[in-house]
Amino acid sequence: MLGAGACGPAATSPTNAAQSIATSSTGPVTAEPATLIPTPAPSPSEALASRCAVASEATAAATIHVTQDKLGIFDYDGPVTIMAGQSVTFVNTKAAPHTITEGINGVAADDACVDTELATGAAVTITFTQPGTYQFTCHPHPPMQTSVVVK
Ligand SMILES: [Cu+2]
């Protein structure tokens, strides 16, 4: 004899239905004064620091340079695309200090994760930890704009 019956689906027992009946409350729901647990709101600066930050080491996947045209107008080159966890080095070989500021038109975004000076002759490496498109500008030179795309 073959034991051919073993493949059938087991009948599900309906016992779970009875367990989902909510027990009715035995008294009026008193509106107790809510005890405000002081949940520490993540400060913007902490949230930012986790998105991008000045790196301690200068190993970068891409480079953005300060450029200057024949009329003397500064700009950033780019954009560049990197992977999350990688870094971008900003290089300034021009005779003026600039800023690496997350934002547009010379204005830092409210949640800017980086807003730092880029002195003449300096290089600053920024590490990006979260995917997204990061726009950068320069305080003294609002037309200076570029972006870093983090995949
Ligand atoms: Cu500038």
Side-chain angles (χ1 to χ4, degrees):
M1 299 286 281
L2 297 174
C7 291
T12 53
S13 121
T15 53
N16 283 344
Q19 295 173 353
S20 63
I21 297 173
T23 55
S24 62
S25 172
T26 56
V29 177
T30 56
E32 298 179 7
T35 303
L36 293 178
I37 301 172
T39 303
S43 77
S45 59
E46 288 178 355
L48 293 177
S50 64
R51 269 195 315 126
C52 73
V54 175
S56 55
E57 58 183 70
T59 302
T63 303
I64 291 176
H65 305 85
V66 174
T67 64
Q68 188 174 24
D69 68 13
K70 291 178 179 178
L71 297 177
I73 305 299
F74 293 111
D75 200 356
Y76 278 124
D77 62 8
V80 298
T81 299
I82 61 171
M83 302 299 291
Q86 293 183 328
S87 303
V88 175
T89 296
F90 289 74
V91 177
N92 177 21
T93 58
K94 304 303 177 184
H98 302 276
T99 67
I100 309 166
T101 302
E102 188 188 10
I104 59 172
N105 295 324
V107 178
D110 289 340
D111 62 345
C113 55
V114 165
D115 184 3
T116 189
E117 182 169 326
L118 183 60
T120 296
V124 175
T125 299
I126 309 294
T127 300
F128 297 83
T129 57
Q130 294 182 22
T133 298
Y134 298 71
Q135 294 181 296
F136 286 94
T137 187
C138 171
H139 286 302
H141 312 106
M144 291 182 66
Q145 299 196 69
T146 189
S147 58
V148 175
V149 178
V150 181
K151 297 292 188 182

